[in-house]
Amino acid sequence: MRAEIIAVGTELLLGQIANTNAQFLSQKLAQIGVGVYFHTVVGDNSERLLQVIRLAAERSDLVIFSGGLGPTQDDLTKETVAAYVGVDLVTDANAMKYIEDFFTQRGIVMTENNRKQALVLAGSHVLPNDFGMAPGMAIRHDSTTFVLLPGPPSELYPMVDRYVMPYLIDLLPEKQVFHSRVFRFYGIGESALEERLLDLIEKQDNPTIAPYAKEFEVTLRVTARAATAEAGEALILPVEKEIRDRVGQYIYGTGEDSSLHEVLVNELRKRGESIACAESCTGGTVASLITSVPGSSSVFRGGIVCYTNEVKNQVLGVSEEVLATEGAVSEQTAKLLAENVREKLGTTYGVSVTGVAGPDSSEGKPVGLVYVGIAAEGLPTVVKELRLAGRRQAIVGRAAKFALFYALQMQKER
Amino acid sequence: MRAEIIAVGTELLLGQIANTNAQFLSQKLAQIGVGVYFHTVVGDNSERLLQVIRLAAERSDLVIFSGGLGPTQDDLTKETVAAYVGVDLVTDANAMKYIEDFFTQRGIVMTENNRKQALVLAGSHVLPNDFGMAPGMAIRHDSTTFVLLPGPPSELYPMVDRYVMPYLIDLLPEKQVFHSRVFRFYGIGESALEERLLDLIEKQDNPTIAPYAKEFEVTLRVTARAATAEAGEALILPVEKEIRDRVGQYIYGTGEDSSLHEVLVNELRKRGESIACAESCTGGTVASLITSVPGSSSVFRGGIVCYTNEVKNQVLGVSEEVLATEGAVSEQTAKLLAENVREKLGTTYGVSVTGVAGPDSSEGKPVGLVYVGIAAEGLPTVVKELRLAGRRQAIVGRAAKFALFYALQMQKER
């Protein structure tokens, strides 16, 4: 199946937002083996939109639109597709009820243009919008399937996961199930990972193996297509074994939405443990990652951002002698920071980060030198030395994630 | 002039990256009044790329490509445009020298395919690549100008700013200068700002007025086109006065790259002042924003992330009585946290944030209720109550920025 994605909205052509919907949809289509051949962005202009629709219908079997389903006059995706396909717009009763309830519940008078959002193409398959007013829809015309989706990502993403993917899988010529497993890595770069798995990636067919990098973490998705989930699982297992044999030490978790801080917080909760951190060069990044996880207050007691030697000394008890002889960026300081913050805040684990984030070197130590300390109840403290590349923000981001990764490793020892 | 942007690369169609180059180029073109009518993404396939080029040449005066200038066989933008325009590829001596020097300096043997990167379209205007090997280029054919740019943003962005923009401005029918001023706002949303300036925005022509929102801040760009920068300035001044009269209290700075934390750190440095923070619901976000600014170590002493009442009490001296009667999320707690962290760390300012980030309410207080405290040497402490909307991460992000904004306001009082 040849697919293309059309985003409708002048705000995209003005550069006010990036076309992240196309990225999201492309990832989803790749997972079920549908090839995307073009992305197009067109403004809120029915003539140019119609040109784009004609061309897409000629060259693609599946055309997915995002945007232009809203209540204003600018929103004309439905109207233009209806004109091309030659059908009327009719009111969808469920969508209308959702809209009316929305206004009634809030005690607001509904303006007339909101009714427009309940209109759908006659004869289309309606895709419910669980987070907004305008439903999506799918309609076949000649040999092309048109899918119309709302523009806001908060509405489009769940609509795709809940309703569009099952609809598309059903469209595929062979009835099959897509069964996938996501592996999350830390401590290895995307290219190094690819190199270690190159022969697997090159000969991939079923299951497919797709690595991608995001926010200093690397993810590998293995997707099998088969008649049943069980048969898919059977295809994935030997590949998983091979991956774990080669790079298992870098895998910290599996699953889509589980970044390092989420895995760490969830593990701490499960085990009834707690954590505190002392941060110098990461300046609060470790704490803000941990506290970004809902419910982290049950495991995270607090953190000290000790940006100066006075704070390291007065608040965290690193002696002036250690700071003078070993330096703020040293194994010994990292060790004391981790131990002392753990003791001060009474937690199971204490994590520390001290290093040189740049742009300038410090204490004669090079940019990128970072020490991460992990103290844990009942275990000797571990300090890891890192040499990180990149600019200030990259060094800070990577150092913070390394701290989380080492905390997870320490947890396995306890 | 009608422009369109073509990004070449299968990684975009697989959703591995978003097309942020198109967003960047669109913003730049909007600033000089060039209308962008289409974005297209096509894979590394010469046949489909040629189709896209033909269509673009028919409908647009300016076609900007990004990607496909690299050394591998997949990179075929130059080859395909050369075939369409009917010119040869020739070696650019400057680019070749850059490439050879790169390898010589690093003592690495250059592989043959790297020479490919020095090839340019015969007769084209070469755009130097100051951060990579493949130069950009521009060539006119019939009535269309084709501009070819490298894909990596670290190469494309500076090439656009340094070489593409001057080239394009020169192409514009009237010789003019684009003179602009950026106003940075906090404490007012994008739609509220638009509403207050609606008549100005609607009747805009020269200068143009473009608001956009990013990371919880709102920016307004006013751009005048005129024969000289002085004439442009004269057009901007009355609009600036009008904007300041209406919404001046929300303007915290001017300039492109100056977010709230950068302005705050720079002001503190200028004045020789220092700051510390005590964060509950923002969990380290205020500290990490401040420390993201290079050189912040001269003004930022440290921060305490006091996620539990024990830390608020034991480390920051908020009495158990206040925590029990007023609560952790209260005006009184915010006041004490700001004052005590300032005193403990010996800084000019102490900033505190305590609130309910959600998803659940806390102490019977609603999600979104946040108190920001600002203590300053020699001034009475100020506490601001906020009612913030949105999900957990949005509440945290907005609350942190409010803290920075109020610290800047307090600075003006001193």
Side-chain angles (χ1 to χ4, degrees), chain B residues 118-132:
Chain B
L119 292 176
V120 297
L121 278 75
S124 66
H125 172 75
V126 176
L127 305 160
N129 188 340
D130 296 340
F131 296 90

Side-chain angles (χ1 to χ4, degrees), chain B residues 78 88-100 110 112-124 126 133 135 137:
Chain B
K78 284 187 294 206
D88 287 332
L89 290 173
V90 295
T91 297
D92 180 68
N94 289 330
M96 196 65 228
K97 188 173 177 315
Y98 182 100
I99 294 170
E100 285 169 349
M110 182 174 76
E112 203 48 36
N113 59 0
N114 278 295
R115 295 187 181 278
K116 180 168 174 278
Q117 297 188 88
L119 292 176
V120 297
L121 278 75
S124 66
V126 176
M133 297 196 198
M137 66 208 77

Side-chain angles (χ1 to χ4, degrees), chain A residues 181-192:
Chain A
R181 180 120 76 254
V182 171
F183 299 93
R184 318 258 327 189
F185 292 84
Y186 202 72
I188 186 168
E190 190 185 10
S191 54

Side-chain angles (χ1 to χ4, degrees), chain B residues 155-306:
Chain B
E155 302 177 21
L156 181 139
Y157 287 27
M159 188 182 290
V160 168
D161 284 332
R162 295 175 190 186
Y163 307 109
V164 179
M165 296 308 288
Y167 175 84
L168 293 179
I169 288 169
D170 215 47
L171 275 191
L172 295 177
E174 283 175 67
K175 290 298 157 252
Q176 22 189 25
V177 163
F178 290 86
H179 185 71
S180 70
R181 180 119 76 255
V182 171
F183 300 94
R184 318 257 328 190
F185 292 84
Y186 203 72
I188 186 168
E190 190 185 11
S191 55
L193 181 69
E194 265 191 47
E195 209 171 284
R196 302 277 285 273
L197 303 175
L198 198 61
D199 56 314
L200 298 180
I201 293 172
E202 283 189 340
K203 76 173 189 203
Q204 66 169 309
D205 172 36
N206 188 18
T208 57
I209 304 174
Y212 54 99
K214 200 172 71 172
E215 285 166 10
F216 314 122
E217 300 188 24
V218 184
T219 294
L220 197 70
R221 175 187 294 278
V222 179
T223 307
R225 47 183 194 285
T228 64
E230 293 68 36
E233 183 65 23
L235 287 169
I236 286 178
L237 278 178
V239 176
E240 170 164 6
K241 183 173 180 320
E242 193 64 35
I243 291 169
R244 287 192 183 272
D245 283 351
R246 296 189 194 186
V247 287
Q249 72 269 38
Y250 303 106
I251 297 176
Y252 72 82
T254 55
E256 192 85 45
D257 301 314
S258 52
S259 49
L260 268 166
H261 40 288
E262 287 165 308
V263 172
L264 178 62
V265 168
N266 291 336
E267 281 301 312
L268 290 166
R269 287 172 77 168
K270 265 191 235 162
R271 300 163 58 130
E273 295 173 337
S274 60
I275 196 164
C277 57
E279 303 182 62
S280 182
C281 68
T282 46
T285 306
V286 175
S288 70
L289 284 169
I290 291 174
T291 58
S292 73
V293 183
S296 50
S297 57
S298 63
V299 302
F300 181 69
R301 295 258 170 94
I304 315 273
V305 182
C306 45

Side-chain angles (χ1 to χ4, degrees), chain A residues 244-322:
Chain A
R244 288 194 182 270
D245 282 351
R246 295 190 194 184
V247 288
Q249 71 269 39
Y250 303 107
I251 297 175
Y252 72 82
T254 56
E256 192 86 47
D257 300 315
S258 52
S259 48
L260 269 166
H261 40 289
E262 288 164 307
V263 172
L264 179 61
V265 168
N266 291 336
E267 281 300 312
L268 291 167
R269 288 172 77 170
K270 263 191 235 161
R271 298 163 59 128
E273 296 173 336
S274 60
I275 196 164
C277 56
E279 303 183 62
S280 183
C281 66
T282 46
T285 306
V286 175
S288 70
L289 283 170
I290 292 175
T291 58
S292 72
V293 183
S296 50
S297 57
S298 63
V299 302
F300 181 70
R301 294 258 169 95
I304 314 274
V305 183
C306 46
Y307 226 53
T308 54
N309 281 356
E310 292 75 54
V311 179
K312 289 183 184 75
N313 173 244
Q314 287 159 25
V315 184
L316 282 161
V318 180
S319 72
E320 282 176 8
E321 200 202 324
V322 166

Side-chain angles (χ1 to χ4, degrees), chain A residues 2 12-20 22-23 26-27 30 36-43 48 51-52 55 59 211-213 281-285 287-289 291-297 300-308 310-311 314-315 344-345 358-359 392-393, chain B residues 2 12-20 22-23 26-27 30 36-43 48 51-52 55 59 211-213 281-285 287-289 291-297 300-308 310-311 314-315 344-345 358-359 392-393:
Chain A
R2 296 167 74 95
L12 288 155
L13 296 177
L14 289 169
Q16 289 168 350
I17 51 171
N19 191 6
T20 48
Q23 182 184 17
S26 294
Q27 285 173 0
V36 176
Y37 287 79
F38 301 96
H39 295 172
T40 304
V41 177
V42 60
R48 284 191 288 278
Q51 283 172 23
V52 166
L55 179 65
R59 66 188 181 187
Y212 54 99
C281 66
T282 46
T285 306
S288 70
L289 283 170
T291 58
S292 72
V293 183
S296 50
S297 57
F300 181 70
R301 294 258 169 95
I304 314 274
V305 183
C306 46
Y307 226 53
T308 54
E310 292 75 54
V311 179
Q314 287 159 25
V315 184
K344 193 175 178 83
L345 272 62
R392 185 178 174 86
Q393 280 307 86
Chain B
R2 295 168 75 95
L12 289 155
L13 296 177
L14 288 170
Q16 289 168 350
I17 53 171
N19 191 6
T20 49
Q23 181 184 16
S26 293
Q27 285 174 358
V36 176
Y37 288 79
F38 300 96
H39 295 172
T40 304
V41 177
V42 60
R48 284 192 288 278
Q51 283 173 23
V52 166
L55 178 65
R59 66 189 181 188
Y212 54 99
C281 68
T282 46
T285 306
S288 70
L289 284 169
T291 58
S292 73
V293 183
S296 50
S297 57
F300 181 69
R301 295 258 170 94
I304 315 273
V305 182
C306 45
Y307 225 52
T308 53
E310 292 75 54
V311 179
Q314 288 159 24
V315 184
K344 190 174 179 86
L345 273 60
R392 184 177 175 88
Q393 280 306 87

